[in-house]
mmCIF file of all heavy atoms in Angstrom:
data_model
loop_
_atom_site.group_PDB
_atom_site.id
_atom_site.type_symbol
_atom_site.label_atom_id
_atom_site.label_comp_id
_atom_site.label_asym_id
_atom_site.label_seq_id
_atom_site.Cartn_x
_atom_site.Cartn_y
_atom_site.Cartn_z
ATOM 1 N N TRP B 34 56.017 9.016 4.164
ATOM 2 C CA TRP B 34 55.021 9.990 4.596
ATOM 3 C C TRP B 34 54.203 10.419 3.399
ATOM 4 O O TRP B 34 54.738 10.763 2.344
ATOM 5 C CB TRP B 34 55.709 11.227 5.195
ATOM 6 C CG TRP B 34 56.032 11.069 6.646
ATOM 7 C CD1 TRP B 34 57.237 10.846 7.221
ATOM 8 C CD2 TRP B 34 55.111 11.167 7.734
ATOM 9 N NE1 TRP B 34 57.146 10.768 8.577
ATOM 10 C CE2 TRP B 34 55.844 10.972 8.929
ATOM 11 C CE3 TRP B 34 53.725 11.410 7.829
ATOM 12 C CZ2 TRP B 34 55.222 11.006 10.186
ATOM 13 C CZ3 TRP B 34 53.128 11.432 9.040
ATOM 14 C CH2 TRP B 34 53.879 11.245 10.261
ATOM 15 N N ILE B 46 55.331 12.467 0.222
ATOM 16 C CA ILE B 46 56.155 13.611 0.654
ATOM 17 C C ILE B 46 57.639 13.200 0.677
ATOM 18 O O ILE B 46 58.469 13.792 0.029
ATOM 19 C CB ILE B 46 55.717 14.097 2.053
ATOM 20 C CG1 ILE B 46 54.239 14.447 2.071
ATOM 21 C CG2 ILE B 46 56.565 15.312 2.460
ATOM 22 C CD1 ILE B 46 53.721 14.768 3.455
ATOM 23 N N TYR B 47 57.924 12.190 1.468
ATOM 24 C CA TYR B 47 59.290 11.662 1.604
ATOM 25 C C TYR B 47 59.185 10.158 1.837
ATOM 26 O O TYR B 47 58.202 9.666 2.344
ATOM 27 C CB TYR B 47 60.000 12.270 2.824
ATOM 28 C CG TYR B 47 60.817 13.492 2.541
ATOM 29 C CD1 TYR B 47 60.280 14.774 2.821
ATOM 30 C CD2 TYR B 47 62.120 13.423 2.078
ATOM 31 C CE1 TYR B 47 61.021 15.920 2.593
ATOM 32 C CE2 TYR B 47 62.886 14.567 1.869
ATOM 33 C CZ TYR B 47 62.335 15.806 2.121
ATOM 34 O OH TYR B 47 63.077 16.936 1.885
ATOM 35 N N PHE B 55 67.132 8.952 3.032
ATOM 36 C CA PHE B 55 65.753 9.253 2.663
ATOM 37 C C PHE B 55 65.759 10.053 1.352
ATOM 38 O O PHE B 55 66.761 10.639 0.981
ATOM 39 C CB PHE B 55 65.017 10.048 3.753
ATOM 40 C CG PHE B 55 65.746 11.245 4.308
ATOM 41 C CD1 PHE B 55 65.730 12.466 3.642
ATOM 42 C CD2 PHE B 55 66.481 11.145 5.477
ATOM 43 C CE1 PHE B 55 66.425 13.559 4.134
ATOM 44 C CE2 PHE B 55 67.149 12.242 5.997
ATOM 45 C CZ PHE B 55 67.142 13.455 5.321
ATOM 46 N N ALA B 61 57.774 17.384 -1.637
ATOM 47 C CA ALA B 61 58.679 17.509 -0.497
ATOM 48 C C ALA B 61 58.893 18.947 -0.023
ATOM 49 O O ALA B 61 59.338 19.183 1.115
ATOM 50 C CB ALA B 61 60.009 16.878 -0.810
ATOM 51 N N GLY B 63 58.907 22.280 1.718
ATOM 52 C CA GLY B 63 58.286 22.748 2.973
ATOM 53 C C GLY B 63 58.233 21.681 4.045
ATOM 54 O O GLY B 63 57.701 21.911 5.122
ATOM 55 N N TYR B 64 58.805 20.517 3.765
ATOM 56 C CA TYR B 64 58.848 19.421 4.732
ATOM 57 C C TYR B 64 60.284 18.928 4.922
ATOM 58 O O TYR B 64 61.127 19.115 4.049
ATOM 59 C CB TYR B 64 58.024 18.228 4.229
ATOM 60 C CG TYR B 64 56.545 18.493 3.998
ATOM 61 C CD1 TYR B 64 56.077 18.791 2.725
ATOM 62 C CD2 TYR B 64 55.627 18.455 5.048
ATOM 63 C CE1 TYR B 64 54.727 19.026 2.497
ATOM 64 C CE2 TYR B 64 54.296 18.698 4.831
ATOM 65 C CZ TYR B 64 53.853 18.989 3.560
ATOM 66 O OH TYR B 64 52.510 19.224 3.367
ATOM 67 N N SER B 65 60.540 18.344 6.065
ATOM 68 C CA SER B 65 61.828 17.708 6.292
ATOM 69 C C SER B 65 61.614 16.463 7.141
ATOM 70 O O SER B 65 60.614 16.318 7.860
ATOM 71 C CB SER B 65 62.796 18.650 7.016
ATOM 72 O OG SER B 65 62.365 18.946 8.314
ATOM 73 N N VAL B 66 62.536 15.494 7.006
ATOM 74 C CA VAL B 66 62.433 14.228 7.726
ATOM 75 C C VAL B 66 63.812 13.835 8.244
ATOM 76 O O VAL B 66 64.841 14.400 7.867
ATOM 77 C CB VAL B 66 61.904 13.076 6.829
ATOM 78 C CG1 VAL B 66 60.432 13.308 6.428
ATOM 79 C CG2 VAL B 66 62.808 12.887 5.610
ATOM 80 N N SER B 67 63.838 12.831 9.098
ATOM 81 C CA SER B 67 65.082 12.205 9.531
ATOM 82 C C SER B 67 64.804 10.715 9.734
ATOM 83 O O SER B 67 63.671 10.300 9.942
ATOM 84 C CB SER B 67 65.573 12.829 10.857
ATOM 85 O OG SER B 67 64.653 12.622 11.898
ATOM 86 N N PRO B 75 60.220 10.635 11.805
ATOM 87 C CA PRO B 75 59.448 11.874 12.078
ATOM 88 C C PRO B 75 59.417 12.826 10.912
ATOM 89 O O PRO B 75 60.402 12.927 10.161
ATOM 90 C CB PRO B 75 60.182 12.475 13.290
ATOM 91 C CG PRO B 75 61.556 11.977 13.187
ATOM 92 C CD PRO B 75 61.456 10.599 12.586
ATOM 93 N N LEU B 76 58.316 13.540 10.764
ATOM 94 C CA LEU B 76 58.127 14.508 9.702
ATOM 95 C C LEU B 76 57.972 15.896 10.323
ATOM 96 O O LEU B 76 57.138 16.070 11.201
ATOM 97 C CB LEU B 76 56.874 14.193 8.892
ATOM 98 C CG LEU B 76 56.441 15.205 7.846
ATOM 99 C CD1 LEU B 76 57.355 15.178 6.638
ATOM 100 C CD2 LEU B 76 55.006 14.969 7.399
ATOM 101 N N THR B 77 58.744 16.864 9.849
ATOM 102 C CA THR B 77 58.592 18.239 10.286
ATOM 103 C C THR B 77 57.941 19.061 9.168
ATOM 104 O O THR B 77 58.417 19.040 8.046
ATOM 105 C CB THR B 77 59.939 18.875 10.675
ATOM 106 O OG1 THR B 77 60.487 18.156 11.783
ATOM 107 C CG2 THR B 77 59.791 20.343 11.068
ATOM 108 N N VAL B 78 56.844 19.696 9.537
ATOM 109 C CA VAL B 78 56.161 20.597 8.618
ATOM 110 C C VAL B 78 56.696 21.990 8.925
ATOM 111 O O VAL B 78 56.433 22.498 10.033
ATOM 112 C CB VAL B 78 54.641 20.532 8.773
ATOM 113 C CG1 VAL B 78 53.946 21.375 7.742
ATOM 114 C CG2 VAL B 78 54.170 19.061 8.707
ATOM 115 N N THR B 79 57.414 22.593 8.033
ATOM 116 C CA THR B 79 58.052 23.879 8.316
ATOM 117 C C THR B 79 57.142 25.024 7.920
ATOM 118 O O THR B 79 56.143 24.842 7.195
ATOM 119 C CB THR B 79 59.407 23.970 7.602
ATOM 120 O OG1 THR B 79 59.183 24.217 6.204
ATOM 121 C CG2 THR B 79 60.232 22.708 7.785
#
Side-chain angles (χ1 to χ4, degrees):
Chain B
W34 274 104
I46 304 172
Y47 268 98
F55 48 83
Y64 299 98
S65 66
V66 293
S67 63
L76 173 74
T77 297
V78 185
T79 75

